[in-house]
Amino acid sequence: MIKMILTLLFLLCHGIVYGQTVVVVAKDSSISELNSQHVANIFLARTNRFPNGEKAATIELKNQTAREGFYQQISGKSPRQLNAYWTTLVFTGKGKPPKGYPNSADLLFKLNNQSGAITYIADTQVTDEMKVVYRFP
Amino acid sequence: MLNFSRPHFIKKIITAFLMYQLMTTSAQANSWLEELNINSFISIDATYTNNDINIESSSKESREYDSKKISFENSLLGTQLNYQVSENLNAFIQGALYYDESGEPETSIDWAYLSYDFGNDLTARAGKLQIPFLKGTELRKIGFSRLWARPLIPSNGASGFNDFTGVELLKSIAYHDNNFTFQLSLGKPEHGLSMVDGQKMVLLSVGYQQYNFHLRTAIAQNKYAVYSNDNVLINDNSHIRMGSIEAEYTLRNVIGNIGYSTSRSDNTPDDSMQYISIAYQLDTLSPYFFAARKNQFFTHVIPARNANATSPPIPPPNVSPRDGDSDTYNFALGLKWSFSDQHILKAQIENVKIRDKTRISSGIITNEGNVLSLLIEGVF
């Protein structure tokens, strides 16, 4: 019980500090909305296309906290399970993980300058230059 | 007696270290060559056996281990270059440095192909590829990708055929929570034995994934020629039909794997294998158990014909032909420790028992050994 309360407190604090995670594309993207299955399939390299057929290019911050939370939500995989998953895809040439960027400036530059770019950020970081296409419930 | 005094041992360790350094440095190329991805893998394997025994290896189909010696010969190092030529065209090459059967350093190019993305999750690849028969066939050299110290698939995992040169089509279909993958491969297969010359292969592999459940199955037919030890053609029109199915299911912290493969050949032997594995994931530690049985069934076959009329007659064999079953049983307990995101440590104790009933005049030949392995594996 105590463990559960502490976990809830942690999640609450985490939400206050980092905000809720949202999936975003560039403002001028033709994509307006995705569902949870689209997000999971795109970020787990099960497809490299948006539902309208446009090519998707996944990018992300190399921030362990944000990454862990995001992939836990879309796949239920721990970071180590996720590493094994990517290794299987990468070394058979069947997929690759999102390209990682060291800071938000580089990430946002790429989001606005690469066709089909899609990423996830805290909703407190959303600007007018991007469009939210999925919000976790 | 422990054998640390091989003449090339120090040289090999230095070579491996330099390769590792080179690849680590090369990986930084990502920052300035946006379209080039470099990924590498490494396995440092120390294995001790209490008996002379033949066991599976990461780099070759199987390897002879001498009793009461620590061997590092299952260690290997590999790298991959993956270049996005254009939006739809990709170039991929992957190779490895490992020890050959005589313990000397050897290199191989395992993948070298161009792929083209047609859209709608349909991709074509052409070049040198690995046969997608069992998961372990494509990933034999990538120890980081598996739970166990060595691949469970034996030399008969794809009946000795591991590579092919040709084309394949890959199609993915995502429907709600169901994900299907289809892989159709056509080409010329390569066999591990120089006596077998693969000629044609057609293979269809289907994968299914839902949440934490994965299922994969494959069927294949290969045409090949067989030569005698002194390179005389015995039969140029042999066929082998193969099938495999394997599944993985994760329930909370428990990961279960099960697999089966079989092959039927015009030329002896036929083979089959079964394996089951259970692991419990406890944060960074995963204790596991596996059991596997591999069977080769030999029939006393007279060579069908000598296809080349100008060839000299096939000499009679020096020993009596094999007829009957040869079974290998493996039981292992192990522990995998993920001590960083990209490195793991594995410790495994395995009992290997071979019961060979194929030499009628010799009766049943039994060989048994215990194998202790300690590995550090990583990707970077």
Side-chain angles (χ1 to χ4, degrees):
Chain A
M1 188 63 179
I2 292 172
K3 193 176 174 184
M4 188 187 288
I5 291 168
L6 287 174
T7 305
L8 286 171
L9 279 173
F10 170 78
L11 290 173
L12 187 63
C13 293
H14 184 270
I16 291 166
V17 175
Y18 292 101
Q20 189 189 17
T21 302
V22 292
V23 179
V24 295
V25 293
K27 186 182 177 183
D28 58 359
S29 168
S30 60
I31 308 302
S32 56
E33 192 180 15
L34 297 174
N35 64 32
S36 61
Q37 205 57 55
H38 295 144
V39 171
N41 287 340
I42 290 168
F43 277 92
L44 294 171
R46 292 177 191 143
T47 178
N48 61 6
R49 302 277 161 175
F50 290 115
N52 67 359
E54 187 187 330
K55 192 156 187 173
T58 52
I59 55 176
E60 65 185 8
L61 270 181
K62 290 178 179 172
N63 177 323
Q64 285 298 315
T65 311
R67 282 188 78 233
E68 284 182 31
F70 177 74
Y71 286 104
Q72 187 70 45
Q73 289 194 72
I74 66 166
S75 69
K77 291 181 190 295
S78 68
R80 288 180 172 85
Q81 287 173 324
L82 198 65
N83 272 347
Y85 172 79
W86 286 126
T87 301
T88 301
L89 290 187
V90 164
F91 289 106
T92 55
K94 291 176 182 167
K96 48 190 171 189
K99 195 100 180 170
Y101 291 89
N103 57 60
S104 298
D106 288 352
L107 183 80
L108 299 184
F109 177 81
K110 200 70 189 173
L111 184 71
N112 286 306
N113 289 281
Q114 181 172 359
S115 172
I118 180 169
T119 190
Y120 55 92
I121 56 173
D123 62 357
T124 53
Q125 294 179 303
V126 175
T127 69
D128 293 342
E129 298 300 308
M130 57 187 78
K131 192 188 324 182
V132 175
V133 291
Y134 181 72
R135 199 176 281 278
F136 287 96
Chain B
M1 190 181 76
L2 302 182
N3 179 23
F4 286 107
S5 59
R6 291 180 61 93
H8 301 295
F9 178 72
I10 300 295
K11 189 177 162 189
K12 287 169 184 172
I13 291 291
I14 292 171
T15 304
F17 177 74
L18 288 176
M19 285 286 290
Y20 184 86
Q21 288 297 312
L22 179 65
M23 289 173 182
T24 309
T25 307
S26 303
Q28 294 165 3
N30 281 349
S31 59
W32 55 272
L33 282 174
E34 187 76 12
E35 303 304 334
L36 178 66
N37 283 297
I38 304 176
N39 298 291
S40 301
F41 52 94
I42 186 168
S43 290
I44 301 170
D45 178 324
T47 290
Y48 172 85
T49 63
N50 70 343
N51 198 358
D52 290 349
I53 201 146
N54 186 291
I55 52 179
E56 305 312 326
S57 80
S58 300
S59 54
K60 309 284 289 181
E61 291 169 5
S62 63
R63 189 185 294 280
E64 288 286 344
Y65 281 84
D66 297 335
S67 68
K68 298 186 172 62
K69 286 181 182 173
I70 292 181
S71 167
F72 289 88
E73 291 177 0
N74 204 31
S75 303
L76 60 85
L77 186 64
T79 199
Q80 171 201 100
L81 303 179
N82 186 349
Y83 187 69
Q84 194 73 39
V85 182
S86 67
E87 184 180 334
N88 295 323
L89 187 65
N90 195 63
F92 186 105
I93 185 164
Q94 186 170 308
L97 170 68
Y98 59 95
Y99 294 111
D100 67 11
E101 287 166 358
S102 60
E104 294 302 312
E106 174 76 87
T107 56
S108 67
I109 298 295
D110 303 314
W111 303 80
Y113 66 81
L114 289 173
S115 72
Y116 189 82
D117 179 359
F118 291 99
N120 291 319
D121 296 316
L122 177 66
T123 303
R125 311 201 282 194
K128 182 170 184 182
L129 301 144
Q130 297 292 300
I131 294 175
F133 188 64
L134 288 162
K135 165 168 90 167
T137 316
E138 288 178 293
L139 292 161
R140 177 183 284 276
K141 289 179 179 158
I142 321 296
F144 186 85
S145 70
R146 64 175 165 262
L147 183 64
W148 316 287
R150 289 172 291 278
L152 294 190
I153 57 151
S155 54
N156 60 356
S159 292
F161 293 99
N162 287 310
D163 317 324
F164 75 100
T165 304
V167 295
E168 65 183 12
L169 285 174
L170 296 96
K171 170 71 180 167
S172 300
I173 297 173
Y175 180 72
H176 296 299
D177 295 332
N178 305 287
N179 296 286
F180 296 90
T181 53
F182 300 89
Q183 196 164 346
L184 177 66
S185 308
L186 303 165
K188 182 181 186 311
E190 296 290 330
H191 197 278
L193 298 175
S194 58
M195 302 159 63
V196 178
D197 179 31
Q199 294 174 337
K200 287 179 189 166
M201 181 195 79
V202 54
L203 181 147
L204 176 65
S205 171
V206 180
Y208 171 74
Q209 179 267 330
Q210 188 190 46
Y211 299 117
N212 292 326
F213 175 69
H214 299 258
L215 180 73
R216 187 177 181 188
T217 183
I219 50 171
Q221 175 161 308
N222 291 0
K223 178 175 180 262
Y224 61 97
V226 185
Y227 292 81
S228 65
N229 284 333
D230 47 0
N231 207 28
V232 176
L233 179 64
I234 296 173
N235 190 322
D236 67 350
N237 192 29
S238 297
H239 294 83
I240 184 166
R241 291 155 291 281
M242 301 182 282
S244 72
I245 185 164
E246 60 187 343
E248 179 178 306
Y249 185 61
T250 305
L251 180 64
R252 295 177 187 273
N253 292 350
V254 179
I255 303 168
N257 281 271
I258 190 165
Y260 173 76
S261 75
T262 184
S263 73
R264 295 288 176 267
S265 172
D266 291 348
N267 284 283
T268 188
D270 295 335
D271 56 49
S272 67
M273 69 162 296
Q274 303 91 36
Y275 71 82
I276 185 165
S277 162
I278 303 284
Y280 187 82
Q281 196 163 37
L282 194 67
D283 195 19
T284 58
L285 293 176
S286 298
Y288 63 85
F289 162 81
F290 79 74
R293 174 179 175 265
K294 299 146 201 169
N295 169 267
Q296 287 190 296
F297 182 73
F298 292 79
T299 44
H300 180 184
V301 175
I302 305 292
R305 65 189 170 91
N306 190 335
N308 186 348
T310 61
S311 301
I314 300 166
N318 296 328
V319 294
S320 61
R322 301 178 78 175
D323 200 344
D325 288 297
S326 176
D327 291 301
T328 303
Y329 301 90
N330 306 67
F331 299 95
L333 284 172
L335 182 69
K336 185 177 97 167
W337 176 35
S338 303
F339 62 91
S340 84
D341 282 350
Q342 293 177 299
H343 296 89
I344 52 178
L345 178 72
K346 293 177 191 167
Q348 178 174 298
I349 176 91
E350 179 178 0
N351 176 264
V352 182
K353 188 173 186 179
I354 299 165
R355 281 172 59 84
D356 187 346
K357 294 179 275 187
T358 61
R359 303 283 189 205
I360 299 165
S361 56
S362 308
I364 299 174
I365 301 169
T366 302
N367 189 19
E368 186 170 5
N370 293 313
V371 184
L372 181 63
S373 300
L374 192 65
L375 300 91
I376 294 176
E377 301 190 300
V379 290
F380 48 97

